[in-house]
Each structure stands twice: as structure tokens, then as C-alpha cells.
Amino acid sequence: MGKDVIVACDFAGAKQTFDFLDSFGTARPFVKIGMELYYAEGPDIVRKIKERGHKIFLDLKLHDIPNTVKKAMAVLSRLDVDMTNLHAGGGVEMMKYAVEGLTRPDGTRPILIAVTMLTSISQEVMTKELGVSGQLPETVIRYAKNARAAGLDGVVCSPLEAGVVHESCGADFVTVTPGVRFADGDAGDQKRVMTPGQARIIGSDYIVVGRPITAAPDPEAAYLRCVREFVG
Ligand code: C5P
């Protein structure tokens, strides 16, 4: 899997998204489309961004019974996205069905990654509210191993967890890591951040970067800086 920078297009609608993408010259970044934009604009936004020559990570975090997830994944596969995801909390069978649904008749499929434990879930919430025993980092690794066993390609995790995920699940198990900031940038609401260079050293395969690029005065320059620091 090649290292790449994925730009989180966290916009409310198509107009803001295309205004942002139009600000790029020749660069065609890998973009992440999340729930907000997808639910606002529907599958058409995916087709239109794809037509412009971008790779797409469709971040919809599926979580349902195995059969429903399989059928939904087949639809996403036909949309020709390059990467998509689900919640590992749906269990190994659900993840296996997802791989089946996503696989095209010619045997190819988008990269499929799992969300382990959301970073908004604290140790206290996991233990007391959800009733999951053990330490949170162990649960993250258990979910990552389940994802690997189900045939998924990797997980979304903090750049700080990328090293241990690779140790437990193998160097070829993909880590997609948000929470990236430039050394001279504003962390905003992200609590634990890493620079693109640090994410490279620790072994992230893809970094997901939103506001350091989307809110920059010159988004293309910020994107190219990210690529330089992360990919080298
Ligand atoms: O603007 P910023 O760089 O913080 O955006 C990061 C992106 O990664 C957002 O789309 C956010 O939802 C996503 N993300 C995250 N932390 C996670 C999982 C996803 O920041 N644990």
C-alpha cells in the first residue's frame, strides 16, 4: 500500500467542496467524504469528485447485521470508491460479509478499513457505560486483530497507535491516521496530534488531514507541504 495524504472534505455541501477543490492547480488529492457531505448530496457527489480524477475514501462507518452491510458495501463498490470503512464493533462475521459485498466480479475491491474504538470513547465510558472490560488500548488491538482475521486491510487509528497496530497485526496491515497538525499549526479540538513527519516515522500508511489544509490561506500549498513531510 502506498503512503498518501488524504484530505478530509468536511464541508456541508457540494458548492463549498467544489470551491475548495477548484482552488487546486494540478494536484488531485485523495479526498475523504464523510457522513455530512454524503448525506447532504448523495452518491452523486462521489461520482462528480471521481470524475475530476480524485481517489475517494468514503467514510460512512457501516455497522449493521452482516447481510445488510454486505448489500450496502456492494452499492459502495459500484460507486468505485478507493477506500471505505465500517465499525469493528459489528463483529467478525459482519466484517467478512462486508469484504464479500465489496468485492467486484473481477476480484478487485476498494481498501476496507475498520474503526476500532472511537476516540470520543474514554476508558471510563467503555468500562462503565458500555460494560466492556479491560483496558482501552487492548480493546483497540483486539478489534484490529478481528478486522485482520475477517480479511480487512487495516484500521483507522491515532498516529500514536500506528506502531503497536503494525506490531500486532503485521507491517502490511494498513493504518489510516487522523489527528495530524503542522509543527507550527493550531491543534484545534484534536487532543493528541502528530506532525506529518512524525506520522511517517511511526509508520502511518495514510494520514487524514482536514483543517490544516481546508482552512489554510493556500490549501494547495498546505497539501503539498503535507505530502513533502509525510511521503518525502
Ligand atoms: O480537521 P482535522 O484534521 O482535525 O480533521 C480530521 C478528520 O479525521 C475529520 O474528518 C475527523 O472526523 C476525522 N477523524 C478524527 N479522529 C478520529 C477519527 C476520524 O479526527 N478518531
Side-chain angles (χ1 to χ4, degrees):
M1 302 278 174
K3 279 189 182 291
D4 211 346
V5 174
I6 302 178
V7 182
C9 284
D10 294 324
F11 299 109
K15 181 168 182 340
Q16 299 98 307
T17 307
F18 291 125
D19 285 349
F20 169 71
L21 295 176
D22 284 343
S23 76
F24 284 74
T26 51
R28 288 287 173 277
F30 201 139
V31 300
K32 177 170 92 74
I33 300 176
M35 290 185 202
E36 184 186 13
L37 185 56
Y38 188 79
Y39 291 148
E41 301 291 346
D44 216 35
I45 189 83
V46 175
R47 294 190 194 97
K48 284 187 178 144
I49 295 178
K50 194 80 201 171
E51 272 166 23
R52 289 171 165 238
H54 297 269
K55 285 188 174 176
I56 295 177
F57 167 21
L58 192 54
D59 179 16
L60 298 182
K61 301 186 178 71
L62 274 67
H63 189 167
D64 207 317
I65 59 169
N67 193 50
T68 302
V69 168
K70 178 177 173 175
K71 288 182 174 167
M73 284 294 183
V75 176
L76 300 187
S77 166
R78 289 194 291 276
L79 265 182
D80 203 21
V81 297
D82 299 278
M83 182 186 289
T84 191
N85 61 359
L86 47 63
H87 273 285
V92 172
E93 191 185 9
M94 185 201 80
M95 291 193 273
K96 283 185 178 166
Y97 271 58
V99 172
E100 278 178 30
L102 206 55
T103 305
R104 304 182 184 103
D106 66 1
T108 64
R109 64 168 172 78
I111 296 169
L112 180 59
I113 56 172
V115 175
T116 56
M117 198 51 85
L118 290 170
T119 44
S120 50
I121 303 289
S122 63
Q123 175 73 53
E124 191 185 358
V125 168
M126 189 184 93
T127 310
K128 295 194 180 149
E129 198 179 301
L130 304 181
V132 177
S133 60
Q135 294 300 301
L136 206 151
E138 291 162 12
T139 308
V140 168
I141 294 302
R142 185 159 69 244
Y143 281 19
K145 285 181 174 169
N146 287 348
R148 166 131 219 158
L152 269 70
D153 305 296
V155 289
V156 185
C157 63
S158 149
L160 299 155
E161 292 159 355
V164 53
V165 167
H166 280 141
E167 275 168 30
S168 332
C169 298
D172 61 339
F173 196 62
V174 171
T175 51
V176 178
T177 62
V180 174
R181 291 294 179 266
F182 291 120
D184 51 2
D186 178 9
D189 55 357
Q190 295 282 14
K191 302 273 184 292
R192 300 183 304 151
V193 296
M194 264 196 192
T195 65
Q198 288 167 332
R200 169 169 53 84
I201 290 165
I202 208 153
S204 296
D205 296 292
Y206 294 88
I207 52 173
V208 176
V209 188
R211 288 157 294 178
I213 293 173
T214 56
D218 182 345
E220 187 175 37
Y223 167 71
L224 294 174
R225 177 181 172 191
C226 235
V227 172
R228 242 184 352 263
E229 292 185 14
F230 180 62
V231 184

